[in-house]
Amino acid sequence: MEFSIKAGAAEKQKSDCIVLGVFAGRELSEAAALVDRAAGGTLAEALTDGDMEGRAGSTLMLRKVPGVAATRVLLVGLGASAEFDAHAYREAVQHAVAALRGGGSTDCVLYLAELAVKDCDLPRRIRLAVSTAAEATYRFDRLKSKKDEDRTRLAKITLGLSAKPDAAANRALAQGEALGAGVKLARDLGNLPSNICTPSFLAKQAQELADEFKLKCQVLEEKDMEKLGMGSLLSVTRGSREPAKLIVLEYNGGPKKQKPTVLVGKGITFDTGGISIKPAPDMDEMKFDMSGAGSVLGTLRAVAGMGLPVNVVGIIPTCENMPDGSAVKPGDIVTSMSGLTIEILNTDAEGRLILCDALTYAKRFNPDGMIDIATLTGACVVALGHVASGLYSNDDAFAAEVLDAGQASLDRAWRMPLWQDYQEQLKSPFADLANIGGRAAGSVTAACFLARFVDKTTPWVHLDIAGVAYRSGKQKGSTGRPVPMLTEYLLKRAGQG
Ligand code: BES
Ligand code: MN
Ligand code: ZN
């Protein structure tokens, strides 16, 4: 998809389609009203005839409207004007693109970015329109021998503005494209099956990203991890034939002395549960168990694409969780890199076992802040569903910044408690701690486990993305979340939010 910005009157655009907004109650947006005047009232007539009311999600395609240079006019319902916020704006863009995708247009000019949106200035509206449109045209058919129909139609989206775009608007366009590309990378990696997207494959992807954007990339092998004493991470990979990797990517766009933000992503490329094997139904969805890793690569793609003046380190512990004759067994005790010993009571609680060693390793980068991202617990899905990521933190100010970034990017998280009281549940009679804490508060005790490996002086956020990283059912597929939230946080840190 190609994106651009163009100034000028909507009715004069020579395009396959111009897209105009209509608020509920048949209220034409400013751009729509101007076109209506040039069209001798044709749009207003369609509305009063009852063809459209302006409800959110509705669209109406008109052809060959008099006085309009474009072949088509697509009216998009915006809902109530008093309630028109960033959510409604994003939905309008989504519905417009969905309506165009199946139709005859190969290019279009969108007159939505100049709509007044609560708490959303023009650069943010441009960024959101571009990243949303990029996501709305996403398709994953590379493994089908016959590609889906209509895949090539809509190829060019122009944002129509009344005035010439300034530097901030042009920058926002490029940022929207970079964010879209980051989300796409995360979705592609999530959607790829585990026989293709192996730990070695992820390492190769990281290397390619590094080559393209001049990042520093280092891949630690199992023998390196042994030397570092990563007994916890290595215990998870024991049952697999695929070698585990620890990927380290560094983007240095900021001042040399600036401490980096460290992102740590869970990269279980397939989670069978190991010896504590999972039930068969829906087990295919455990190919998405590397979504945290995908979001780290996606965010680095976005940030590097934007050339943000920040320093970011991405750390990805990646392996498979498989059962075989040498697999780790319930009751086994391993020693983590931190020195803490862990009694593995359930081999399906493997995410925390690879993350704890990665978090210990992260200390050497002297992080300004550390965020780990993981499809960690089914309990988090029970608690928050598919709307919000679970957020845990040892630092209120840092937590607030990440929560705000989620709010601003419409990729939200909800804070959960990390209280000492829950540590009780992780006690083991044989080791320093157990890797599970029983049925109660499963997402919380998983976070509390990780907290044992982070020192109190490092601001840290843990995101449990089990409910938001992918969709099940008919719409099955990776969402690319929380790349928008993480990118927004780094945009703010770069002073460009
Ligand atoms: N990858 C799963 C968590 C998960 C579950 C992600 C559902 C997405 C959807 C994780 O490794 C896991 O198996 N967690 C266990 C922990 C339990 C054994 C304490 C779980 O949630 O059941
Ligand atoms: Mn598991
Ligand atoms: Zn898992």
Side-chain angles (χ1 to χ4, degrees):
M1 189 65 65
E2 204 190 309
F3 292 96
S4 58
I5 301 184
K6 200 174 170 198
E11 67 273 13
K12 299 217 177 89
Q13 302 303 319
K14 290 195 186 67
S15 161
D16 287 342
C17 188
I18 56 171
V19 180
L20 304 164
V22 179
F23 290 106
R26 301 175 186 152
E27 183 195 330
L28 293 172
S29 63
E30 230 171 277
L34 287 173
V35 172
D36 189 48
R37 195 172 317 156
T42 308
L43 305 189
E45 198 178 35
L47 302 184
T48 45
D49 282 353
D51 290 276
M52 193 192 205
E53 211 277 325
R55 262 190 299 274
S58 63
T59 54
L60 175 66
M61 185 69 92
L62 304 171
R63 293 180 52 85
K64 307 223 161 89
V65 175
V68 172
T71 314
R72 301 172 188 79
V73 174
L74 178 69
L75 299 182
V76 187
L78 305 173
S81 58
E83 284 153 34
F84 195 64
D85 57 6
H87 262 277
Y89 172 73
R90 178 172 67 173
E91 245 172 66
V93 174
Q94 276 167 345
H95 284 109
V97 172
L100 287 166
R101 228 176 114 169
S105 303
T106 55
D107 77 289
C108 66
V109 190
L110 241 56
Y111 287 88
L112 300 174
E114 276 192 344
L115 295 166
V117 181
K118 260 187 239 155
D119 300 326
C120 204
D121 58 11
L122 181 65
R124 180 173 294 284
R125 294 197 299 271
I126 291 172
R127 210 156 65 209
L128 192 55
V130 171
S131 61
T132 301
E135 282 180 50
T137 52
Y138 179 81
R139 174 149 295 176
F140 187 79
D141 58 6
R142 68 167 83 166
L143 300 175
K144 292 187 178 184
S145 56
K146 253 184 84 198
K147 306 303 172 203
D148 293 349
E149 305 264 315
D150 83 90
R151 74 193 307 269
T152 51
R153 278 277 167 177
L154 189 62
K156 194 168 179 304
I157 297 178
T158 302
L159 301 185
L161 299 182
S162 51
K164 242 184 147 27
D166 59 5
N170 283 321
R171 186 171 78 176
L173 181 86
Q175 290 179 337
E177 288 185 281
L179 174 57
V183 170
K184 176 172 158 41
L185 175 60
R187 292 176 85 175
D188 282 345
L189 292 173
N191 288 333
L192 281 169
S194 73
N195 60 326
I196 295 173
C197 185
T198 59
S200 305
F201 181 88
L202 283 179
K204 210 171 124 246
Q205 291 291 306
Q207 188 57 62
E208 281 177 23
L209 198 62
D211 294 344
E212 190 180 347
F213 291 97
K214 300 188 174 57
L215 317 181
K216 197 172 150 200
C217 177
Q218 198 192 354
V219 178
L220 305 195
E221 307 293 333
E222 288 182 6
K223 58 177 192 323
D224 305 314
M225 297 185 238
E226 261 159 48
K227 278 188 207 128
L228 288 163
M230 295 185 164
S232 184
L233 195 167
L234 288 167
S235 75
V236 177
T237 194
R238 285 186 58 100
S240 170
R241 307 268 172 104
E242 291 288 337
K245 310 271 170 182
L246 185 77
I247 304 165
V248 184
L249 265 177
E250 289 174 65
Y251 168 73
N252 292 307
K256 262 214 161 64
K257 278 197 187 138
Q258 189 189 72
K259 290 176 165 190
T261 300
V262 177
L263 306 176
V264 181
K266 171 178 174 182
I268 295 290
T269 57
F270 197 82
D271 181 11
T272 66
I275 297 298
S276 314
I277 200 159
K278 287 181 182 294
D282 301 327
M283 207 208 270
D284 65 292
E285 293 185 354
M286 284 302 120
K287 73 173 182 178
F288 296 119
D289 214 18
M290 39 53 67
S291 296
S295 76
V296 171
L297 293 174
T299 301
L300 280 163
R301 168 70 182 78
V303 168
M306 294 177 187
L308 290 186
V310 289
N311 297 329
V312 186
V313 180
I315 300 180
I316 296 172
T318 173
C319 68
E320 289 182 331
N321 186 20
M322 298 286 284
D324 88 346
S326 48
V328 70
K329 305 172 290 300
D332 287 1
I333 294 176
V334 298
T335 304
S336 65
M337 183 180 173
S338 75
L340 286 175
T341 59
I342 303 163
E343 184 183 19
I344 300 175
L345 291 173
N346 189 319
T347 65
D348 198 10
E350 85 297 341
R352 61 198 81 180
L353 294 175
I354 65 168
L355 287 169
C356 69
D357 279 341
L359 288 169
T360 302
Y361 186 76
K363 282 195 192 101
R364 69 183 55 201
F365 295 97
N366 191 21
D368 169 71
M370 188 157 74
I371 307 177
D372 79 73
I373 309 105
T375 45
L376 203 62
T377 66
C380 191
V381 190
V382 175
L384 297 173
H386 306 287
V387 177
S389 300
L391 184 148
Y392 298 82
S393 182
N394 63 356
D395 184 301
D396 291 345
F398 190 37
E401 285 176 42
V402 180
L403 286 165
D404 283 351
Q407 200 65 254
S409 61
L410 309 180
D411 180 9
R412 290 174 296 176
W414 187 255
R415 186 145 183 207
M416 304 275 281
L418 197 65
W419 298 328
Q420 194 60 34
D421 313 31
Y422 291 101
Q423 289 291 347
E424 278 301 308
Q425 288 174 242
L426 293 171
K427 285 201 166 138
S428 155
F430 305 115
D432 295 336
L433 75 168
N435 81 325
I436 53 168
R439 272 180 53 83
S443 176
V444 182
T445 53
C448 287
F449 178 94
L450 296 178
R452 299 281 287 271
F453 299 85
V454 178
D455 64 59
K456 296 200 169 43
T457 56
T458 307
W460 163 65
V461 157
H462 158 58
L463 293 172
D464 193 334
I465 59 165
V468 305
Y470 63 94
R471 292 188 193 91
S472 308
K474 253 187 92 185
Q475 290 213 72
K476 190 185 285 185
S478 171
T479 60
R481 288 179 68 181
V483 172
M485 180 190 339
L486 297 170
T487 305
E488 181 72 32
Y489 169 76
L490 292 162
L491 268 163
K492 283 229 173 73
R493 194 162 147 71
Q496 297 183 19

